[in-house]
């Protein structure tokens, strides 16, 4: 079911409201909705995105899908190319409610927003808190549209088309991309709708408190053989910690705040090995953001990739890269713990 083909509209007003909207023509598609509900919600989503398009560049928006069965909507999304990679919601310390995957349309890279219907319905709710929540979600996903388009302009033909020389290169790139994307999105959308810092801080602290136990379990469960079965999940675990740090850091940076404005984070970091990496990560992301959309090479992005590999080597295993793209490891976790 589809509703509301949205087009840019001009409104006579002051400040940002007088800006032309970057919102393109797009269709809001619905799964599991009655026609009347789809039409009403589609109109609200269209209006919200037209407004957000005045402050966030969403010219590369492909469309929006709203579904009560969010997981099925991710699985069924037409991504415009053949892939075995399945889109799946975050479902551990945080539960995913929206995603903006890249898609190809006539060989042009675009971004498609997928939202859980239970969240999107907040636009029609009398509860102001729910309304603010979905507005912030739409702003955050819109910021992903802008971030993805900026990368594609600077490094055309790479997203969805890159093949990696080795698994290590792929894991490094995945962590870098997740960290940068969330930092950028949080910094672009800021506190539109509501202030996300308290929630991001809570999630980061939970991930931080669990990281050592999670890594211990991964190492303990490795019985030898294919090192990928250990090293991949290890990169994923530390990358997850860095990603949730970036959510918080991006939101803080937009508001002109630092971790010192979130005392519980400062206290937790003071007792953690991650303390020395937290600020380095924030600085690395801020330096990339300072050149937003004007990148001529990936050297600043590689700082994030190097950081996750440094953490893996410090906390778990020494890694030796070989010229043929393979690698070997020596696991030292449990033998020497910092």
């Amino acid at each position: 079911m589809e509703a509301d083909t949205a087009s840019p509209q001009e409104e006579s007003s002051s400040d940002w409201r007088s800006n032309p909207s970057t919102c393109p023509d797009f269709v809001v598609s619905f799964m599991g909705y009655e026609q009347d509900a789809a039409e009403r919600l589609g109109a609200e989503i269209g209006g919200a995105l037209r407004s957000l398009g005045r402050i966030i560049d969403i010219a590369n928006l492909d469309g929006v899908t709203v579904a009560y069965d969010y997981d099925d909507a991710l699985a069924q999304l037409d991504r415009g190319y053949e892939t075995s990679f399945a889109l799946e919601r975050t479902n551990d310390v945080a539960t995913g409610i929206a995603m903006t995957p890249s898609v190809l349309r006539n060989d042009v890279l675009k971004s498609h927003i997928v939202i859980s219907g239970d969240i999107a319905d907040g636009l029609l709710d009398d509860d102001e808190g729910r309304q603010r929540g979905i507005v912030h979600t739409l702003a955050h996903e819109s910021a992903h549209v802008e971030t993805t388009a900026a990368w594609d302009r600077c490094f055309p033909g790479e997203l969805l088309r890159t093949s990696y020389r080795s698994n290590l290169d792929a894991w490094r790139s995945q962590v870098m991309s997740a960290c940068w994307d969330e930092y950028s999105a949080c910094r672009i959308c800021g506190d539109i709708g509501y202030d996300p810092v308290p929630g991001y801080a809570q999630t980061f602290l939970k991930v931080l408190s669990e990281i050592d136990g999670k890594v211990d379990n991964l190492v303990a469960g490795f019985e030898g053989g294919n090192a990928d079965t250990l090293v991949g999940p290890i990169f994923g675990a530390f990358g997850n910690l860095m990603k949730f740090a970036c959510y918080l850091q991006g939101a803080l940076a937009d508001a002109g705040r630092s971790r010192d404005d979130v005392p519980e984070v400062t206290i937790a970091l003071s007792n953690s090995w991650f303390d020395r990496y937290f600020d380095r990560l924030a600085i690395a992301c801020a330096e990339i953001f300072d050149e937003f959309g004007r990148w001529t090479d990936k050297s600043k992005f590689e700082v994030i990739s190097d950081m996750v590999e440094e953490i893996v080597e410090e906390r778990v295993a020494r890694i030796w890269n070989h010229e043929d793209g393979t690698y070997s490891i020596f696991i030292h976790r449990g033998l020497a713990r910092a």
Side-chain angles (χ1 to χ4, degrees), residues 76 193 197 202 218 231 299 306 312 330:
Q76 290 194 34
V197 167
Q202 182 179 12
L218 289 171
V231 179
S299 57
D306 291 342
V312 171
F330 169 72

Side-chain angles (χ1 to χ4, degrees), residues 13-260:
S13 184
S14 59
D15 55 67
W16 63 269
R17 295 176 183 83
S18 62
N19 294 337
S21 180
T22 60
C23 184
D25 293 350
F26 72 95
V27 171
V28 186
S29 302
F30 290 87
M31 298 172 61
Y33 278 78
E34 296 295 331
Q35 182 70 35
D36 180 65
E39 289 177 353
R40 289 188 295 116
L41 183 55
E44 292 294 331
I45 291 173
L49 287 172
R50 282 191 291 268
S51 293
L52 289 168
R54 300 182 190 282
I55 51 179
I56 300 173
D57 185 352
I58 56 173
N60 271 43
L61 177 67
D62 171 64
V64 178
T65 298
V66 183
Y68 287 122
D69 191 337
Y70 176 62
D71 299 295
D72 187 50
L74 291 175
Q76 290 194 34
L77 178 66
D78 176 10
R79 296 159 70 186
Y81 67 103
E82 293 295 326
T83 178
S84 60
F85 178 77
L87 296 172
E88 296 181 345
R89 75 161 86 204
T90 300
N91 201 15
D92 41 32
V93 294
T95 300
I97 58 171
M99 187 185 296
T100 305
S102 297
V103 297
L104 288 177
R105 302 292 183 245
N106 298 318
D107 208 36
V108 175
L109 188 82
K110 291 183 176 291
S111 296
H112 191 101
I113 298 175
V114 183
I115 310 175
S116 167
D118 293 330
I119 302 301
D121 285 351
L123 278 176
L124 301 176
D125 201 300
D126 292 333
D127 185 327
E128 184 178 351
R130 288 197 69 199
Q131 290 179 5
R132 289 182 174 275
I134 180 57
V135 167
H136 183 81
T137 297
L138 287 171
H140 184 92
E141 300 311 316
S142 295
H144 277 304
V145 176
E146 179 171 357
T147 297
T148 298
W151 176 281
D152 192 50
R153 285 194 300 271
C154 292
F155 310 113
E158 288 194 5
L159 287 174
L160 305 184
R161 306 171 180 92
T162 299
S163 58
Y164 297 99
R165 189 180 70 94
S166 69
N167 285 337
L168 278 174
D169 286 345
W171 296 326
R172 283 167 48 94
S173 179
Q174 288 163 6
V175 171
M176 177 279 292
S177 179
C179 288
W180 161 245
D181 283 353
E182 297 305 344
Y183 177 92
S184 178
C186 290
R187 188 154 174 185
I188 289 170
C189 74
D191 60 358
I192 295 174
Y194 69 85
D195 179 9
V197 167
Y200 288 156
Q202 182 179 12
T203 301
F204 168 70
L205 289 173
K206 182 172 176 57
V207 178
L208 181 65
S209 70
E210 295 176 350
I211 185 64
D212 285 332
K214 180 169 290 189
V215 171
D216 282 340
N217 289 337
L218 289 171
V219 173
F222 180 62
E223 298 179 348
N226 184 355
D228 287 355
T229 61
L230 172 65
V231 179
I234 290 292
F235 267 83
F238 287 128
N240 210 39
L241 174 63
M242 293 170 65
K243 178 185 72 175
F244 283 110
C246 285
Y247 273 102
L248 176 59
Q249 291 164 341
L252 287 172
D254 175 75
R257 291 182 280 174
S258 71
R259 74 181 198 179
D260 293 336

